[in-house]
Amino acid sequence: MTKTKISKPKGSRFYKLFVEQEGKYKIVFKSESKQAVKHKRKEIQINSVDKAALLNKMTFVELYKEFALHKIKVGENEKLGGKPYSLKVYLGHYRKHIAPNFDHKILVNEVTKKVAKDFFIKLTENGVSWIQAENVVMTFKTALKYAVDQEYISSIGPMDSFSPKKEEELISSDPSEMQYKITPMISLQEADRLFKYFDTQLRKNPTITDKRNFTIVSCFLFCGMRMSEVRGLKWNAISFSDNPNLPSYITIKNTIVGNTEGFGKADGSRRTFIIHPVLLEILKEWKAAHTRHFTPHKITWVFPSLTKTIEWVVPVHDRTIRDMLNVAYDALGYAEIEYRPDRTDGNKKRLVVKWSKFGTAPTKTFRHFAATSLLAGQNSNTELTDKFVTNFIGHRNKKVTEGIYGNHLNLNTSIEHHNKEAQALANAIPLSRGSFNKIN
């Protein structure tokens, strides 16, 4: 039972209730009524007994489920800024890995580094990749911190410093297994080919779908926007300037993953940035076509599905965007696709990617392209400050941006550019054989 004491200091009209917390007595309640203070003490003692009894029987599996469901509620709360789809990953870990594989007899206060390491090894022996096992086991710390917040336990102890990469017996003999796969970046030359592939000015009698797809691709290329940000974009988030001397802006407010509308990641993603002049022209053209197509109805989504125009309108489906890009990649030689019978309806066909230079997430390459372009342009454009770049991409700081995108070296793959690099290298290190150089 929690230790408590009541006192009324000389000269004070208040009775004060002290509760022992981490070896020290702290004031938690005060009142002029001694009876009210006693009632509060009894309430605290009962709760402490209930929590102690709960802890004596609460297993870590039960705690993790409670924690995962709590995270989903956080994602549904607009004020907390959570991203619903991202927070559902904890429930996925629970269902796929923890509920079926973790020892249901281990209590919350029995989770140690050894327990975490044993479970990590069990996952890898079951065929789970090193990275995925790390992702699952590292959430143990987050779940235990939740338990601290709920006062189920007082601290997470040595688990606070736990990391599979620091545990000798967990380190893989193949270092590549411990690294995340690097998203391939579309080069400047490849981006130009893709841009021209969709450019409605280069198509005869472009359809409304052609115009929408071109604008979607343009947003990816010029802004490096996330899939969820493109799908969640509304016209009220775009500020078109009436003054040609003043820039126009996009404000990232909403996101959509699947059918779930969210509010972006808590840090960095909610932002306002200047619209590239070429993209501005494309957006204005699309808004005019969009308005004509849906009149007399006013549609809030910038990129709606075009299959329904009266009864209801929803944002374009993410699969529609992926398929549209993969068809283009196939046409340009960056991927190979085929059509197979749909699993649920044999009369329909579904697009299957046999291989792609840009992997299974065809839109992620654009964030790398936009970020790398801005980072590369900082030397010759002083206006591209660190704050400008990180805000534009939607990160908290430049360290995050450089850490994810700074290792790309293939932005410009033209022969002319490589020749200029070779000449610049020769100028920077002017050493030669067979004669003395006049070096000051």
Side-chain angles (χ1 to χ4, degrees), residues 152-206:
Y152 298 152
I153 52 178
S154 59
S155 72
I156 70 173
M159 275 296 293
D160 190 44
S161 62
F162 173 73
S163 171
K165 290 179 179 177
K166 297 178 182 178
E167 303 297 331
E168 185 176 349
E169 61 266 50
L170 300 184
I171 295 176
S172 174
S173 57
D174 181 0
S176 64
E177 292 183 354
M178 300 168 57
Q179 298 175 352
Y180 286 93
K181 293 182 179 178
I182 298 175
T183 299
M185 188 188 75
I186 191 169
S187 70
L188 182 61
Q189 286 69 33
E190 292 166 341
D192 185 61
R193 289 187 66 200
L194 184 72
F195 186 65
K196 287 181 171 56
Y197 175 89
F198 283 100
D199 192 345
T200 52
Q201 290 184 353
L202 301 177
R203 294 193 174 204
K204 292 182 179 180
N205 303 317

Side-chain angles (χ1 to χ4, degrees), residues 8-9 46-47 66 96 99 111 132 144 163 215-216 221 255 259 306 333 338 341 373 429:
K8 186 174 182 293
I46 291 174
N47 286 339
E66 179 184 318
K96 187 175 181 179
V111 177
Q132 180 67 358
L144 290 172
S163 171
T215 313
I216 290 174
L221 285 169
T255 60
N259 297 321
L306 301 173
E338 66 178 12
S373 298
I429 308 176

